[in-house]
Amino acid sequence: MKYIRDQERLTQFGQRLRQVRQSKGFTQESLAAAAELEFSQIGRIERGVINTSLSTVFVIARTLQVDVRELFDFSNVSGSGLNRK
């Protein structure tokens, strides 16, 4: 089975995470500490460098006190002209 990496969506997810994190008043460091994640992991996710796990996404959403769906709302991030079905 071929590994599929959708770089556009990874980048959009990272941009959206940054928007939500900043709107909630978290720095990368404070979010990482509160979520018990490595500080560098938050930066890599926000830059679209890593394809993070769903478990991590749920931990981040819970830490930010948002519904996980909010992190996947790409309507206000650059490159959001994706076709939706």
Side-chain angles (χ1 to χ4, degrees):
M1 182 173 161
K2 182 179 176 184
Y3 177 73
I4 299 172
R5 180 178 176 94
D6 187 336
Q7 189 58 53
E8 181 178 9
R9 289 190 196 265
L10 290 178
T11 300
Q12 289 175 327
F13 180 82
Q15 291 172 347
R16 180 63 182 151
L17 172 57
R18 180 176 290 121
Q19 287 175 344
V20 174
R21 173 183 58 76
Q22 290 174 339
S23 75
K24 295 289 187 169
F26 283 88
T27 63
Q28 287 182 350
E29 294 91 346
S30 64
L31 175 58
E36 298 182 359
L37 299 169
E38 293 291 325
F39 156 67
S40 62
Q41 186 174 4
I42 301 299
R44 290 191 313 265
I45 294 168
E46 288 187 358
R47 291 189 314 275
V49 173
I50 61 172
N51 189 0
T52 195
S53 71
L54 282 175
S55 295
T56 301
V57 172
F58 284 114
V59 167
I60 290 171
R62 185 171 41 248
T63 303
L64 292 171
Q65 298 182 339
V66 297
D67 189 292
V68 71
R69 291 176 289 193
E70 190 170 336
L71 297 176
F72 290 93
D73 178 3
F74 303 151
S75 59
N76 291 321
V77 297
S78 61
S80 62
L82 297 172
N83 295 328
R84 295 187 184 189
K85 295 182 179 184

